[in-house]
Amino acid sequence: MQKLKLYGTPLSGHVHRVALLLRMLDLPYEFIEAGAEVRQSEQFRRLNPFGQIPVLVDGAQVLADSNAILVYLVKCYAPGSHWLPESPFAAAQVQEWLSKAAGEVRYGPASSRLIAQFSAPEDYQSALAVAARFLPQMEQHLTDREFLATDNATIADLACYSYVAVAPEGGIALTPYPAIQRWVARIAALPGFFAMPTLPEPGKR
Ligand SMILES: N[C@@H](CCC(=O)N[C@@H](CS)C(=O)NCC(=O)O)C(=O)O
């Protein structure tokens, strides 16, 4: 039995970012499929009262929220590593992009994919507008940088990666953003990387 248990579904970018870090840190874990029915169960609500995935169970510790889990994993299993630098400035840069992952990425590219692929009751025009403001800023930021927060890959890159990489599945092309595309390829070349299962782009079914 694995010590680390990850509750999730393979198509969730929030789950994927955690699974990516687990694999990149070479940490064995048990993946427990937690679809809508499981998430509504009393047993799952005891793990996360918000009823959301991912949830990570590490022995007696139960953690929810993907970005919080990323911080926890580095602090426990790779402290002082490039994934989450200690210096105040670098740590703040990482936090800035973790916030963008939970803000602009969630309500832009992730929302458009949720609507296009899973008919989520969210506003498609609003999601496109958020993405149309955010992606050019991200493109500009990456024009002369390899990674988002420091010279090395950090948890901020993983947090932003999953939903930005699959933006076309929500009807948002990445072709206008060559620096983002190069960054996507850079993350995909990191040891331990694995891709999310792909979904057909809207209009290409
Ligand atoms: N802030 C949370 C958001 C997680 C989230 O939205 N998970 C989705 C799947 S991608 C979920 O569980 N949705 C079900 C629900 O909200 O009821 C995180 O970063 O983990």
Side-chain angles (χ1 to χ4, degrees), residues 9 11-15 17 39 44-45 50-54 64-69 102 106 114 163:
T9 63
L11 286 171
S12 160
H14 287 101
V15 172
R17 68 182 69 162
R39 296 200 292 268
F44 185 82
R45 296 274 163 159
F50 288 93
Q52 291 184 326
I53 49 171
D65 192 277
S66 55
N67 293 347
I69 295 170
R106 164 63 183 88
L114 270 176
Y163 286 122

Side-chain angles (χ1 to χ4, degrees), residues 80-143:
S81 69
H82 63 88
W83 291 110
L84 181 55
E86 294 288 337
S87 94
F89 184 76
Q93 299 298 110
V94 171
Q95 182 54 56
E96 179 182 340
W97 286 93
L98 290 178
S99 298
K100 288 189 189 338
E104 286 89 338
V105 174
R106 164 63 183 88
Y107 294 101
S111 179
S112 67
R113 175 174 173 270
L114 270 176
I115 297 162
Q117 300 288 343
F118 307 106
S119 305
E122 298 185 10
D123 182 338
Y124 193 60
Q125 290 315 316
S126 159
L128 293 182
V130 171
R133 264 196 316 274
F134 172 68
L135 292 174
Q137 290 165 352
M138 189 179 186
E139 172 73 13
Q140 180 63 37
H141 182 77
L142 284 168
T143 302

Side-chain angles (χ1 to χ4, degrees), residues 13-27:
H14 287 101
V15 172
H16 184 247
R17 68 182 69 162
V18 172
L20 270 183
L21 183 63
L22 286 164
R23 302 247 190 130
M24 289 180 178
L25 294 180
D26 209 10
L27 294 169

